[in-house]
Amino acid sequence: MQTDNSISPNQLVLAAFMLMLSPALRLFPSAAAAWAGKGAWLSALLAFPAAAAYLWLARRGALLRREGEGLCELIARAAPGRAGRMALAVLALWLCVYAGFVLRSGADRFLVTVYPNTPAAFFILTMAGAALLAADAPLHQAARTVKLLFPAVGLILALVLLSSLGRLRAENLLPLSLDDAPGVLAGTLAALDVLLWSFYAAAMLLPGIRKGSISYRRLLPGLGAGCALLSLMSAEIVGSFGAPLAAELSWPFFSLVRNLVFFRSIERIEALVVALWVFPDFLIVSLFLRAARRALTLSLSARFPRAGASRALPGLCAAASAAYALLSAPDAKSLQLLSDTVIPGVSLFFALVFFPLLLGLGKRRGTI
């Protein structure tokens, strides 16, 4: 039974789905179109078996934790001593970097689509301050906030996708031949990057989840829905713009939204959609700042107890993320490089190498 301070499996699935939306809208449609061409819509569906296998392994890893532990505590037990402290410091750095990247890309979304003459620093600092406050709130409140906001975000997403169906051109999606198979298979990497990232992002909620409550059978339908959403989104974007143009668009989903009109009274809903997509970004930044603080606390406490217990750590993590957001991508070209190559590559490294290696080491040594 769920307590007032716990997170239910259904809330975990909703959070993972919400966390997936930010990289899904930014990365997947263009990357899949670049690799798979008109067959990009198949890539997400073909990624399901590999993602399901990873989900099974991730659940097995989650069962190694003790009640009330999260990913950071599991790493600390898996690699005790200096190696564990270094691993936690690296994880904290990555979490701050990714949070900073989300701040920067979210600001860019506003600048490109709604407020072109506003300084990016305004959006970055505002979001960082709000996420810092949320990072100090009880963890179960984040899951409950997702439950409250998900209907609004889901409704807008459904309206956009349904309203865009009439703009599809069949010749942009079909026919496919065996010659397209290598590209379609390569496009599954873009889908896996989004899906696997959402797994370990959702793992930041583990401290609030009872150890025995996570059922693989309950998680699998959520994964299937995520793959279906990526496939539908890719089909609509490639079907509307064609693969060559879709591969070049920085924000393909918002390009799809740009000319939609609802009920004749709203001439453009672009601003509404962009504003709603603040919530997935806000969830990512607040969860990652919380986890970065915890990783630093565990890393520093063993040798520097005062530093590990410092109340300044949350603010330092938020400041580091904001600084990275302000300095990392001074122009659109550098932001595109981060979005298309650097961030996805490092994210896959953490999902496929960093976490499995540490948990495997702890399992072999008997420390977890």
Side-chain angles (χ1 to χ4, degrees), residues 44 48 73 93 101 128 146 162 170 180 190 215 262 272 295 297 313 322 329 337 349 352 368:
F48 178 78
E73 289 82 2
L93 177 62
F101 169 72
V146 170
L162 288 174
D180 298 308
S215 168
F262 291 101
L272 174 62
T297 299
L313 282 182
L337 177 64
F349 167 79
L352 298 177
I368 57 174

Side-chain angles (χ1 to χ4, degrees), residues 118-130:
T118 306
F122 172 79
F123 299 106
I124 290 171
L125 297 177
T126 301
M127 176 70 82

Side-chain angles (χ1 to χ4, degrees), residues 43-61 188 191-199 214-228 230 352:
S43 295
L45 300 179
L46 293 177
F48 178 78
Y54 187 92
L55 179 62
W56 183 84
L57 292 173
R59 179 186 173 274
R60 296 279 295 180
T188 61
L192 284 174
D193 184 62
V194 172
L195 295 169
L196 302 192
W197 180 89
S198 69
F199 294 167
I214 304 176
S215 168
Y216 181 67
R217 291 184 178 181
R218 296 182 72 175
L219 297 177
L220 205 56
L223 173 61
C227 290
L230 291 178
L352 298 177

Side-chain angles (χ1 to χ4, degrees), residues 8 22 28 38 42 55 78 83 87 109 117 134 136 168 170 180-181 304 310 315 318:
S8 71
S22 182
F28 178 71
K38 64 172 61 177
L42 273 177
L55 179 62
R109 187 171 63 241
N117 298 319
D136 281 332
L168 294 182
D180 298 308
F304 308 101
S310 174

Side-chain angles (χ1 to χ4, degrees), residues 29-104:
S30 295
W35 285 334
K38 64 172 61 177
W41 59 276
L42 273 177
S43 295
L45 300 179
L46 293 177
F48 178 78
Y54 187 92
L55 179 62
W56 183 84
L57 292 173
R59 179 186 173 274
R60 296 279 295 180
L63 291 176
L64 298 174
R65 66 193 179 94
R66 296 169 182 164
E67 200 68 46
E69 283 188 339
L71 188 60
C72 297
E73 289 82 2
L74 197 55
I75 290 174
R77 287 199 296 116
R82 181 179 298 178
R85 292 194 298 271
M86 290 181 61
L88 287 167
V90 169
L91 176 60
L93 177 62
W94 165 241
L95 293 171
C96 289
V97 165
Y98 198 102
F101 169 72
V102 172
L103 292 173
R104 178 65 183 89

